[in-house]
Amino acid sequence: MTVWTGDVVGGGTDSNIFMTLYGINGSTEEMQLDKKKARFEREQNDTFIMEILDIAPFTKMRIRIDGLGSRPEWFLERILLKNMNTGDLTMFYYGDWLSQRKGKKTLVCEMCAVIDEEEMMEWTSYTVAVKTSNILGAGTDANVFIIIFGENGDSGTLALKQSANWNKFERNNTDTFNFPDMLSLGHLCKLRVWHDNKGIFPGWHLSYVDVKDNSRDETFRFQCDCWLSKSEGDGQTVRDFACANNKIHDELEETTYEIVIETGNGGETRENVWLILEGRKNRSKEFLVENSSRQRAFRKGTTDTFEFDSVYLGDIASLCVGHLAREDRFIPKRELVWHVKTITITEMEYGNVYFFNCDCLIPLKRKRKYFKVFEVTKTTESFASKVQSLVPVKYEVIVTTGYEPGAGTDANVFVTIFGANGDTGKRELKQKMRNLFERGSTDRFFLETLELGELRK
């Protein structure tokens, strides 16, 4: 990793610097860059080795400074990442201040990954409309923050500061906030909303939030209808909401499947091929591909693509494949075989992909009772499919304090739970009128968040 600090007066910094990387295959946690004495000085480039998750190709980088130290500002020019195994280069350009006083007056920036002079993400602007509910005491005096999640990562923390309304978040009011020059998150799936519980009346009943992607001219609604309050409801001031746009019918009645069949070099066929797909919910009718001299399929080393309308099958587990002689066709005594190498099936509504590594010789037969069965080798779940599982779930967190002398604490305790579908964000473990985390005691807490999937840490 090579970091260039700009050639401007006061461009160097003593602040702590933090980095988060995003790629096609996920994102890293926030990592602190090692600040040695001579690093990040004016008109200087610093190179150091970092070990990170293999999420390449990269899409964007977020850099944050804490604004502390005798020189709390930094002029960041650009950053270069070089993969030490492959030699692949990714450049990130900024060329501005990270400062509360200068430039864009922010301590956080996002930079688009540039690979072979091509930007890996598109730019957009977001308009966020926040509707406070029309019930007694719904308004809040607290400071409100959001994080928007989409198929291209997350927005980072966005403070809802400047609205057309002088007094924000009042009962039955709608407040609008604009965020220009942001990297597009693509299709949105989740919104995290919280406040700092400050002010005379911090409790807040939120009706909904609309997030408009102005470049796509598409609005995503997050229906809330609940309290973010320490004294109302379940006492939580942090909430995650799924996008209401994503609510596709629980069960599709019918859909279309794309079937891609790769024929190997071990044998082609001029005859017919039939398939039956076996899903978790249903079994398909027979799909017959009739070969003809006009439209030849299944030649050696070629790939053929077909579309097949069917009842919705759910997750596909296996398929039956038969090699069938055309009617009144003479079959020689020597065995004729067709070499099916791979079959890839894509469910077109959700975009889930099922891969079958067959690599099998299927003999030609006159009757359908002869066939081969293949189990699914690999499944790729699409983003659209994953967001279907984002429903609110209550988790019980049970904390047991040890028996060692002095094991208990009077400090405030926070937890973040990470799962396959994301994380909870930082949550405080708190209960009214209870002395928590005492030696040898067990304390129980409930957190409501969107389904995390398999828990990881």
Side-chain angles (χ1 to χ4, degrees), residues 189-191 221-223 240-244 246 387 390-391 450:
C189 64
K190 184 170 84 170
L191 182 75
R221 170 155 291 195
F222 299 89
Q223 197 67 42
D240 286 355
F241 302 104
C243 180
N246 297 327
V387 299
L390 296 180
V391 293
L450 295 177

Side-chain angles (χ1 to χ4, degrees), residues 188-409:
L188 305 186
C189 64
K190 184 170 84 170
L191 182 75
R192 178 167 298 153
V193 186
W194 73 98
H195 64 70
D196 59 7
N197 204 46
K198 291 182 179 177
I200 301 171
F201 301 106
W204 186 33
H205 198 282
L206 177 58
S207 178
Y208 64 81
V209 177
D210 281 343
V211 180
K212 183 179 181 183
D213 184 331
N214 293 310
S215 65
R216 294 164 61 127
D217 194 26
E218 188 172 1
T219 299
F220 301 86
R221 170 155 291 195
F222 299 89
Q223 197 67 42
C224 311
D225 298 321
C226 64
W227 284 101
L228 286 84
S229 170
K230 298 241 176 173
S231 58
E232 301 281 354
D234 60 4
Q236 293 194 73
T237 58
V238 182
R239 299 275 184 196
D240 286 355
F241 302 104
C243 180
N245 305 35
N246 297 327
K247 291 181 179 174
I248 304 172
H249 300 301
D250 287 342
E251 247 180 74
L252 292 170
E253 292 184 3
E254 288 197 356
T255 189
T256 301
Y257 293 93
E258 181 189 74
I259 301 173
V260 179
I261 300 174
E262 181 187 4
T263 299
N265 294 318
E268 61 181 42
T269 183
R270 295 173 181 270
E271 307 302 316
N272 298 335
V273 168
W274 61 268
L275 299 92
I276 294 176
L277 313 183
E278 192 76 54
R280 303 287 183 198
K281 296 184 181 294
N282 283 304
R283 188 184 212 198
S284 77
K285 61 181 184 291
E286 179 190 283
F287 174 54
L288 179 66
V289 181
E290 295 187 90
N291 228 331
S292 68
S293 55
R294 285 185 180 180
Q295 286 188 312
R296 272 291 307 277
F298 313 122
R299 295 175 189 266
K300 278 186 184 180
T302 62
T303 298
D304 299 286
T305 302
F306 312 95
E307 286 199 349
F308 172 46
D309 292 327
S310 167
V311 295
Y312 178 62
L313 306 174
D315 288 334
I316 298 173
S318 61
L319 58 81
C320 308
V321 182
H323 186 194
L324 190 68
R326 286 146 65 183
E327 287 184 15
D328 303 323
R329 181 87 168 171
F330 170 73
I331 301 179
K333 286 187 178 179
R334 66 183 179 84
E335 188 172 62
L336 294 178
V337 294
W338 167 51
H339 181 199
V340 55
K341 195 167 184 184
T342 64
I343 298 177
T344 306
I345 299 171
T346 304
E347 194 282 303
M348 302 301 281
E349 185 72 31
Y350 289 108
N352 294 334
V353 180
Y354 306 89
F355 180 76
F356 296 83
N357 187 17
C358 309
D359 202 12
C360 179
L361 300 175
I362 301 180
L364 181 65
K365 299 292 182 182
R366 281 205 181 280
K367 295 183 179 178
R368 282 176 165 79
K369 66 180 182 179
Y370 299 101
F371 56 86
K372 295 279 187 181
V373 177
F374 301 102
E375 301 286 326
V376 67
T377 310
K378 181 183 173 185
T379 301
T380 304
E381 189 179 15
S382 70
F383 178 81
S385 178
K386 283 179 183 175
V387 299
Q388 301 308 303
S389 62
L390 296 180
V391 293
V393 171
K394 268 197 174 175
Y395 291 90
E396 184 180 22
V397 180
I398 305 169
V399 182
T400 303
T401 303
Y403 285 92
E404 296 290 319
T409 184

Side-chain angles (χ1 to χ4, degrees), residues 92-111:
F92 302 86
Y93 296 97
Y94 187 56
D96 207 338
W97 286 98
L98 288 168
S99 165
Q100 289 178 326
R101 300 185 303 117
K102 301 175 184 176
K104 298 175 182 176
K105 297 182 180 177
T106 177
L107 299 180
V108 184
C109 73
E110 287 197 344
M111 297 173 284

